[in-house]
Amino acid sequence: TILAVVLVVSAFPLYYTLLLGSSDQVSISQRALPQLWPDASIFAGFANVMSSSQINFWLALTNSVIISVVVSVATVLTSTLAGFSFAKLRYPGRNALLVFVIATMAVPTQLGVIPMYILMSELDWIGKIQAVIVPALVSAFGVFWMTQYLDSALPYELIEAARVDGASMIRTFWSIAMPAALPAASMLGLFIFVMQWTMFFWPSIVLGSQNPTLPIAVQNLTAGYHNDYSLIMAGVFLVTLPLLIVFAFVGRQLVAGIMQGAVKG
């Protein structure tokens, strides 16, 4: 019952956005209650968003896909490598380095915007998607996540057995640590993908409206003298739709992987 209530409360804003996207501008401006069910006009709204002269939808979609996929894959790889190092290797300064990495999570992102922007300007990356990708290739949260998971999910005996058999440390990581880390790595990849897909603050500063991501493109729909809220809501739902598709396809596999990783042998 509690889960059902949480589901309804969480899904209602998205459902209401879909209703507004399929409503006409007159009823929205009069604050009339929209219909209880969306109609076929929502598809016309989607088409209007894709063909709108205010935004370059397909460029924004391409940028969002590239940024989200590249950052997700890189973050999973770097976080799993660092997590394996912190959790299972012994070397001087390991604990101090881990504390330093975790401490960076306490620094607000806004504090680093000005020096980061200056650095991107020096590299001539303003308006280019690498200005969004490169600073996000490593995640302190991802390192902490994978460290905690591998510390309990990967026995030392497996690592020692691989080393005794003559496997190098890199081979041990790929053949032993990576399969063990797969459930947590999958969840981390999904978290990072959603975070990058919906990120607005930094891309809006460093990319602008000429080379936007989808959240910036939807925001540009409000840049005119007259705001078509039906068009804006259709754009908002269209931005969210790929995430719903991703969850629909990978959600069951992620849950199965988590449950498999939780089983103690």
Side-chain angles (χ1 to χ4, degrees):
T1 302
I2 295 175
L3 289 176
V5 172
V6 171
L7 176 63
V8 171
V9 173
S10 302
F12 179 76
L14 185 62
Y15 177 69
Y16 194 72
T17 299
L18 184 62
L19 292 182
L20 292 178
S22 61
S23 301
D24 59 88
Q25 182 64 14
V26 175
S27 62
I28 294 177
S29 61
Q30 294 176 349
R31 297 187 178 182
L33 290 176
Q35 65 270 23
L36 294 179
W37 303 102
D39 53 36
S41 61
I42 187 63
F43 297 104
F46 292 160
N48 292 334
V49 172
M50 295 178 185
S51 60
S52 175
S53 60
Q54 295 176 257
I55 63 174
N56 191 335
F57 177 83
W58 297 109
L59 174 62
L61 176 62
T62 302
N63 287 341
S64 290
V65 170
I66 293 175
I67 291 172
S68 300
V69 172
V70 171
V71 171
S72 299
V73 172
T75 300
V76 167
L77 179 60
T78 56
S79 298
T80 307
L81 279 166
F84 175 69
S85 173
F86 285 131
K88 296 302 176 182
L89 303 185
R90 295 293 179 263
Y91 50 88
R94 179 182 68 108
N95 292 331
L97 285 173
L98 180 59
V99 170
F100 176 77
V101 170
I102 296 174
T104 61
M105 297 170 59
V107 180
T109 305
Q110 292 80 359
L111 293 181
V113 167
I114 294 177
M116 187 69 70
Y117 186 88
I118 294 174
L119 178 60
M120 296 301 113
S121 179
E122 293 291 335
L123 295 173
D124 195 25
W125 285 359
I126 300 299
K128 302 176 181 178
I129 61 173
Q130 56 261 40
V132 178
I133 293 175
V134 173
L137 292 179
V138 180
S139 168
F141 168 75
V143 172
F144 176 72
W145 173 284
M146 297 308 301
T147 300
Q148 294 299 106
Y149 182 83
L150 287 173
D151 187 50
S152 59
L154 181 60
Y156 277 107
E157 290 77 9
L158 290 179
I159 300 175
E160 293 172 354
R163 299 293 287 166
V164 169
D165 288 341
S168 64
M169 189 56 67
I170 296 297
R171 177 64 184 273
T172 302
F173 170 77
W174 282 112
S175 300
I176 303 299
M178 201 64 185
L182 192 58
S186 300
M187 287 302 301
L188 176 63
L190 181 61
F191 289 156
I192 299 299
F193 184 90
V194 173
M195 184 184 304
Q196 293 298 320
W197 188 272
T198 59
M199 182 177 291
F200 178 82
F201 180 67
W202 175 242
S204 67
I205 294 174
V206 76
L207 294 182
S209 59
Q210 300 303 317
N211 192 28
T213 57
L214 280 177
I216 301 174
V218 171
Q219 192 271 341
N220 290 337
L221 291 174
T222 65
Y225 293 102
H226 173 71
N227 291 330
D228 187 344
Y229 290 103
S230 176
L231 182 66
I232 295 171
M233 292 299 103
V236 170
F237 187 85
L238 199 58
V239 171
T240 311
L241 187 59
L243 295 180
L244 298 178
I245 296 174
V246 169
F247 275 105
F249 277 97
V250 307
R252 180 174 299 179
Q253 288 77 5
L254 286 175
V255 172
I258 293 172
M259 295 305 295
Q260 181 180 0
V263 175
K264 297 295 184 180

